[in-house]
Amino acid sequence: MGGLLYSFAFAGVAHLLFLLIARVLARPLRLDVIERAVIIYTNAGILVIPLVNALLGADYVIYSCAFLVIQQILIWTHCRSLLCGTGGMEWRKILLNINIIAIAIGCALFLLRIELPDFINQTLNTTGSMLGPLGMLLAGMVIADTPLTRLFTAPRGYLAAVLRLLFCPLLTVLLFRAVGAANLIADGKNILMTVYLACITPACATVTSLAQLYNRDAAHSSALYVLSTLLSIVTMPLMIGVYDWLI
């Protein structure tokens, strides 16, 4: 429980940092709403659970839920407001979002110490193992529909990609080091890494869906998603190395 609250706290800190970065840099770098959303929102929903499971083990997956809960709420509040240009919250979409429902059920099982039968656990484990490959399949479908020549020759795309993949993660790990975050709780380095892994993933695929929904430049959002996903093959191992070095 302490580790879960700890991960919620620093997932909140990370999101506040991303919101601040996008706000501060918006005017000097002339960032449009799509680029600001790309800087703030990561593809953690698809990538973080397989990454945590592979790097740290299944026992740490529950801590990654903190980042996902906060991001889902912000996507349907801040991100929606940013893209459609209006305020207000769609509480129904937040509370009935399948990710939030699944996380709530999982937390309830955890808190109430309810153990599921083996055949249910095996089914869920098998289904959960599909998440990483399915995410890569979806990314591949988007990449296949994107003209790579135009993608790699557009200088503007690299700005948002660098901010998402390098600048934000570097500031995040420096902030974690400055406050001594890893030393605040037992096993703090590993639990904190579940938050950091979510911070270093590429642009969020949901931003493209929302851009289509609210008649924004979905093609621009899709291009940034593809570019950041391809570049993350290099930047994510680099950022994990930086984390191990500094934390």
Side-chain angles (χ1 to χ4, degrees):
M1 178 61 69
L4 192 58
L5 293 174
Y6 170 87
S7 58
F8 263 106
F10 282 99
V13 169
H15 278 97
L16 286 174
L17 177 62
F18 296 163
L19 289 166
L20 179 62
I21 291 171
R23 185 178 183 86
V24 170
L25 297 181
R27 181 171 293 180
L29 296 181
R30 298 180 180 177
L31 301 175
D32 59 31
V33 291
I34 295 295
E35 292 165 343
R36 289 165 62 188
V38 163
I39 292 170
I40 298 167
Y41 299 105
T42 75
N43 214 22
I46 292 176
L47 295 177
V48 69
I49 291 178
L51 283 172
V52 170
N53 194 34
L55 292 174
L56 299 171
D59 290 344
Y60 288 88
V61 168
I62 188 170
Y63 303 122
S64 64
C65 294
F67 192 97
L68 300 180
V69 169
I70 293 174
Q71 177 159 280
Q72 284 296 325
I73 293 173
L74 284 174
I75 281 175
W76 289 107
T77 52
H78 172 265
C79 187
R80 172 186 171 275
S81 176
L82 186 67
L83 293 177
C84 71
T86 60
M89 297 185 184
E90 295 192 17
W91 287 108
R92 185 174 180 274
K93 289 186 177 181
I94 295 173
L95 297 176
L96 297 182
N97 183 286
I98 189 64
N99 300 287
I100 299 298
I101 293 173
I103 290 170
I105 293 172
C107 288
L109 293 173
F110 171 74
L111 295 172
L112 298 174
R113 307 284 182 177
I114 298 174
E115 295 187 8
L116 298 175
D118 287 340
F119 76 93
I120 295 180
N121 275 330
Q122 291 174 3
T123 302
L124 293 175
N125 286 335
T126 302
T127 305
S129 298
M130 295 169 55
L131 185 60
L134 184 60
M136 293 299 96
L137 179 62
L138 294 173
M141 291 168 62
V142 177
I143 291 171
D145 287 335
T146 304
L148 295 184
T149 303
R150 188 178 65 186
L151 178 69
F152 285 111
T153 55
R156 187 73 191 179
Y158 288 97
L159 173 62
V162 167
L163 290 174
R164 165 88 302 280
L165 297 173
L166 294 176
F167 188 72
C168 287
L170 283 173
L171 285 187
T172 302
V173 73
L174 289 174
L175 177 61
F176 288 168
R177 179 181 173 85
V179 301
N183 301 319
L184 298 178
I185 191 173
D187 199 24
K189 181 175 181 177
N190 286 333
I191 297 175
L192 189 65
M193 191 168 188
T194 65
V195 176
Y196 185 69
L197 286 172
C199 295
I200 67 176
T201 55
C204 182
T206 307
V207 172
T208 300
S209 300
L210 290 177
Q212 292 174 329
L213 182 63
Y214 296 116
N215 296 317
R216 290 289 182 174
D217 191 350
H220 182 40
S221 177
S222 178
L224 293 178
Y225 168 73
V226 171
L227 182 62
S228 62
T229 299
L230 293 174
L231 293 178
S232 70
I233 297 171
V234 175
T235 62
M236 289 181 67
L238 177 63
M239 291 297 100
I240 292 173
V242 171
Y243 180 89
D244 283 334
W245 177 47
L246 292 178
I247 306 292

Short mmCIF file of all heavy atoms in Angstrom, two decimals, residues 6 8 29 38 55 65 73 89 100 110 112-113 118 126-127 148 151 166 177 195 202-204 215 229 240-241 246:
data_model
loop_
_atom_site.label_atom_id
_atom_site.label_comp_id
_atom_site.label_asym_id
_atom_site.label_seq_id
_atom_site.Cartn_x
_atom_site.Cartn_y
_atom_site.Cartn_z
N TYR A 6 3.06 5.85 -2.91
CA TYR A 6 4.32 6.47 -3.34
C TYR A 6 4.34 6.65 -4.86
O TYR A 6 4.70 7.72 -5.38
CB TYR A 6 5.46 5.58 -2.86
CG TYR A 6 6.84 5.89 -3.39
CD1 TYR A 6 7.65 6.83 -2.76
CD2 TYR A 6 7.36 5.20 -4.49
CE1 TYR A 6 8.95 7.08 -3.23
CE2 TYR A 6 8.63 5.45 -4.95
CZ TYR A 6 9.43 6.38 -4.31
OH TYR A 6 10.70 6.62 -4.78
N PHE A 8 1.74 6.78 -6.85
CA PHE A 8 0.74 7.79 -7.20
C PHE A 8 1.30 9.20 -7.01
O PHE A 8 1.09 10.08 -7.86
CB PHE A 8 -0.52 7.62 -6.34
CG PHE A 8 -1.61 6.85 -7.00
CD1 PHE A 8 -1.89 5.55 -6.62
CD2 PHE A 8 -2.38 7.42 -8.01
CE1 PHE A 8 -2.90 4.82 -7.23
CE2 PHE A 8 -3.39 6.70 -8.63
CZ PHE A 8 -3.65 5.40 -8.24
N LEU A 29 8.62 28.36 -28.38
CA LEU A 29 8.83 27.37 -29.44
C LEU A 29 7.65 27.28 -30.40
O LEU A 29 7.66 26.47 -31.33
CB LEU A 29 9.09 25.99 -28.83
CG LEU A 29 10.36 25.85 -27.98
CD1 LEU A 29 10.52 24.42 -27.47
CD2 LEU A 29 11.60 26.27 -28.77
N VAL A 38 1.41 16.03 -27.25
CA VAL A 38 2.41 14.98 -27.45
C VAL A 38 3.49 15.05 -26.36
O VAL A 38 3.97 14.01 -25.88
CB VAL A 38 3.05 15.12 -28.85
CG1 VAL A 38 4.36 14.35 -28.96
CG2 VAL A 38 2.07 14.64 -29.91
N LEU A 55 11.17 -5.92 -17.22
CA LEU A 55 12.36 -5.40 -16.55
C LEU A 55 12.37 -5.66 -15.04
O LEU A 55 13.44 -5.88 -14.46
CB LEU A 55 12.48 -3.90 -16.81
CG LEU A 55 12.79 -3.48 -18.24
CD1 LEU A 55 12.74 -1.97 -18.38
CD2 LEU A 55 14.16 -4.00 -18.67
N CYS A 65 0.11 1.14 -12.39
CA CYS A 65 -1.29 1.58 -12.54
C CYS A 65 -1.47 3.04 -12.11
O CYS A 65 -2.37 3.72 -12.60
CB CYS A 65 -2.22 0.69 -11.72
SG CYS A 65 -2.30 -1.01 -12.31
N ILE A 73 -7.33 10.21 -16.44
CA ILE A 73 -8.15 11.33 -15.96
C ILE A 73 -7.78 12.62 -16.68
O ILE A 73 -8.65 13.38 -17.12
CB ILE A 73 -8.00 11.49 -14.43
CG1 ILE A 73 -8.62 10.26 -13.72
CG2 ILE A 73 -8.66 12.77 -13.95
CD1 ILE A 73 -8.37 10.24 -12.24
N MET A 89 -15.51 18.80 -17.65
CA MET A 89 -15.04 17.43 -17.53
C MET A 89 -16.14 16.46 -17.95
O MET A 89 -17.30 16.66 -17.61
CB MET A 89 -14.63 17.12 -16.08
CG MET A 89 -13.49 17.94 -15.55
SD MET A 89 -13.00 17.39 -13.90
CE MET A 89 -11.74 18.60 -13.51
N ILE A 100 -9.91 2.49 -16.41
CA ILE A 100 -10.17 2.87 -15.02
C ILE A 100 -10.95 1.77 -14.31
O ILE A 100 -10.67 1.44 -13.15
CB ILE A 100 -10.93 4.21 -14.97
CG1 ILE A 100 -10.10 5.33 -15.61
CG2 ILE A 100 -11.28 4.57 -13.53
CD1 ILE A 100 -8.79 5.60 -14.92
N PHE A 110 -6.75 -6.39 -4.70
CA PHE A 110 -5.51 -6.25 -3.94
C PHE A 110 -5.79 -5.87 -2.49
O PHE A 110 -5.27 -6.46 -1.55
CB PHE A 110 -4.62 -5.21 -4.62
CG PHE A 110 -3.41 -4.83 -3.82
CD1 PHE A 110 -2.34 -5.69 -3.70
CD2 PHE A 110 -3.33 -3.59 -3.19
CE1 PHE A 110 -1.22 -5.33 -2.96
CE2 PHE A 110 -2.23 -3.23 -2.46
CZ PHE A 110 -1.16 -4.11 -2.35
N LEU A 112 -8.59 -6.11 -0.73
CA LEU A 112 -9.42 -7.09 -0.01
C LEU A 112 -8.76 -8.47 0.09
O LEU A 112 -9.34 -9.39 0.67
CB LEU A 112 -10.79 -7.22 -0.69
CG LEU A 112 -11.64 -5.95 -0.73
CD1 LEU A 112 -12.90 -6.17 -1.54
CD2 LEU A 112 -11.99 -5.49 0.69
N ARG A 113 -7.56 -8.59 -0.47
CA ARG A 113 -6.79 -9.83 -0.42
C ARG A 113 -7.59 -11.00 -1.02
O ARG A 113 -7.57 -12.11 -0.49
CB ARG A 113 -6.41 -10.16 1.02
CG ARG A 113 -5.70 -9.04 1.74
CD ARG A 113 -4.27 -8.91 1.30
NE ARG A 113 -3.56 -7.86 2.01
CZ ARG A 113 -2.28 -7.59 1.85
NH1 ARG A 113 -1.57 -8.27 0.99
NH2 ARG A 113 -1.70 -6.61 2.52
N ASP A 118 -7.04 -20.51 -10.01
CA ASP A 118 -5.90 -20.64 -10.92
C ASP A 118 -6.28 -20.50 -12.38
O ASP A 118 -5.56 -19.88 -13.17
CB ASP A 118 -5.19 -21.98 -10.70
CG ASP A 118 -4.40 -22.01 -9.41
OD1 ASP A 118 -4.09 -20.92 -8.89
OD2 ASP A 118 -4.07 -23.11 -8.93
N THR A 126 -2.42 -14.96 -19.65
CA THR A 126 -2.28 -15.18 -21.09
C THR A 126 -2.76 -13.96 -21.87
O THR A 126 -2.11 -13.52 -22.83
CB THR A 126 -3.07 -16.43 -21.52
OG1 THR A 126 -2.60 -17.56 -20.79
CG2 THR A 126 -2.89 -16.69 -23.02
N THR A 127 -3.91 -13.43 -21.45
CA THR A 127 -4.45 -12.24 -22.12
C THR A 127 -3.52 -11.05 -21.93
O THR A 127 -3.27 -10.28 -22.87
CB THR A 127 -5.84 -11.90 -21.56
OG1 THR A 127 -6.68 -13.05 -21.68
CG2 THR A 127 -6.47 -10.74 -22.32
N LEU A 148 7.15 7.55 -44.92
CA LEU A 148 8.33 7.74 -44.08
C LEU A 148 9.27 8.81 -44.63
O LEU A 148 9.94 9.50 -43.86
CB LEU A 148 9.08 6.42 -43.94
CG LEU A 148 8.33 5.30 -43.20
CD1 LEU A 148 9.23 4.08 -43.06
CD2 LEU A 148 7.86 5.77 -41.83
N LEU A 151 7.96 11.97 -43.43
CA LEU A 151 8.04 11.97 -41.97
C LEU A 151 9.42 12.38 -41.49
O LEU A 151 9.57 13.24 -40.63
CB LEU A 151 7.68 10.58 -41.45
CG LEU A 151 7.75 10.37 -39.93
CD1 LEU A 151 6.63 11.15 -39.26
CD2 LEU A 151 7.65 8.90 -39.60
N LEU A 166 13.49 12.94 -24.84
CA LEU A 166 14.75 13.26 -24.17
C LEU A 166 14.60 14.35 -23.11
O LEU A 166 15.00 14.16 -21.96
CB LEU A 166 15.80 13.69 -25.21
CG LEU A 166 16.26 12.62 -26.20
CD1 LEU A 166 17.23 13.21 -27.22
CD2 LEU A 166 16.90 11.44 -25.48
N ARG A 177 16.09 12.80 -8.63
CA ARG A 177 17.38 12.76 -7.91
C ARG A 177 17.49 13.92 -6.92
O ARG A 177 17.98 13.74 -5.80
CB ARG A 177 18.53 12.80 -8.90
CG ARG A 177 19.92 12.79 -8.24
CD ARG A 177 21.03 12.86 -9.25
NE ARG A 177 22.33 13.02 -8.61
CZ ARG A 177 23.07 12.03 -8.15
NH1 ARG A 177 22.65 10.79 -8.26
NH2 ARG A 177 24.25 12.28 -7.59
N VAL A 195 7.27 4.36 -12.56
CA VAL A 195 6.80 5.69 -12.97
C VAL A 195 7.67 6.22 -14.09
O VAL A 195 7.17 6.75 -15.09
CB VAL A 195 6.80 6.67 -11.78
CG1 VAL A 195 6.40 8.07 -12.23
CG2 VAL A 195 5.87 6.17 -10.68
N PRO A 202 7.02 6.84 -25.99
CA PRO A 202 6.74 7.83 -27.04
C PRO A 202 5.36 8.47 -26.91
O PRO A 202 4.67 8.28 -25.90
CB PRO A 202 6.85 7.00 -28.34
CG PRO A 202 6.62 5.60 -27.91
CD PRO A 202 7.17 5.48 -26.53
N ALA A 203 4.98 9.23 -27.92
CA ALA A 203 3.72 9.97 -27.90
C ALA A 203 2.52 9.05 -27.74
O ALA A 203 2.52 7.91 -28.21
CB ALA A 203 3.59 10.80 -29.18
N CYS A 204 1.50 9.56 -27.10
CA CYS A 204 0.30 8.79 -26.80
C CYS A 204 -0.57 8.60 -28.05
O CYS A 204 -0.91 9.56 -28.73
CB CYS A 204 -0.50 9.50 -25.71
SG CYS A 204 -1.99 8.63 -25.21
N ASN A 215 -11.67 17.24 -34.64
CA ASN A 215 -11.33 17.93 -35.90
C ASN A 215 -10.04 18.74 -35.81
O ASN A 215 -9.96 19.85 -36.35
CB ASN A 215 -12.49 18.83 -36.35
CG ASN A 215 -13.74 18.03 -36.67
OD1 ASN A 215 -13.66 16.98 -37.31
ND2 ASN A 215 -14.88 18.52 -36.21
N THR A 229 7.76 6.97 -31.88
CA THR A 229 7.82 5.53 -31.65
C THR A 229 9.08 4.93 -32.25
O THR A 229 9.78 4.12 -31.62
CB THR A 229 6.58 4.83 -32.24
OG1 THR A 229 5.39 5.35 -31.60
CG2 THR A 229 6.63 3.32 -32.04
N ILE A 240 16.90 4.76 -19.76
CA ILE A 240 16.99 3.79 -18.66
C ILE A 240 18.42 3.76 -18.11
O ILE A 240 18.62 3.67 -16.89
CB ILE A 240 16.56 2.39 -19.15
CG1 ILE A 240 15.06 2.39 -19.47
CG2 ILE A 240 16.87 1.32 -18.09
CD1 ILE A 240 14.57 1.12 -20.12
N GLY A 241 19.40 3.86 -19.00
CA GLY A 241 20.79 3.94 -18.56
C GLY A 241 21.05 5.17 -17.72
O GLY A 241 21.77 5.11 -16.71
N LEU A 246 21.98 7.86 -12.44
CA LEU A 246 21.67 8.95 -11.52
C LEU A 246 20.92 8.52 -10.27
O LEU A 246 21.04 9.13 -9.21
CB LEU A 246 20.86 10.02 -12.24
CG LEU A 246 21.58 10.81 -13.33
CD1 LEU A 246 20.64 11.79 -14.01
CD2 LEU A 246 22.78 11.56 -12.75
#
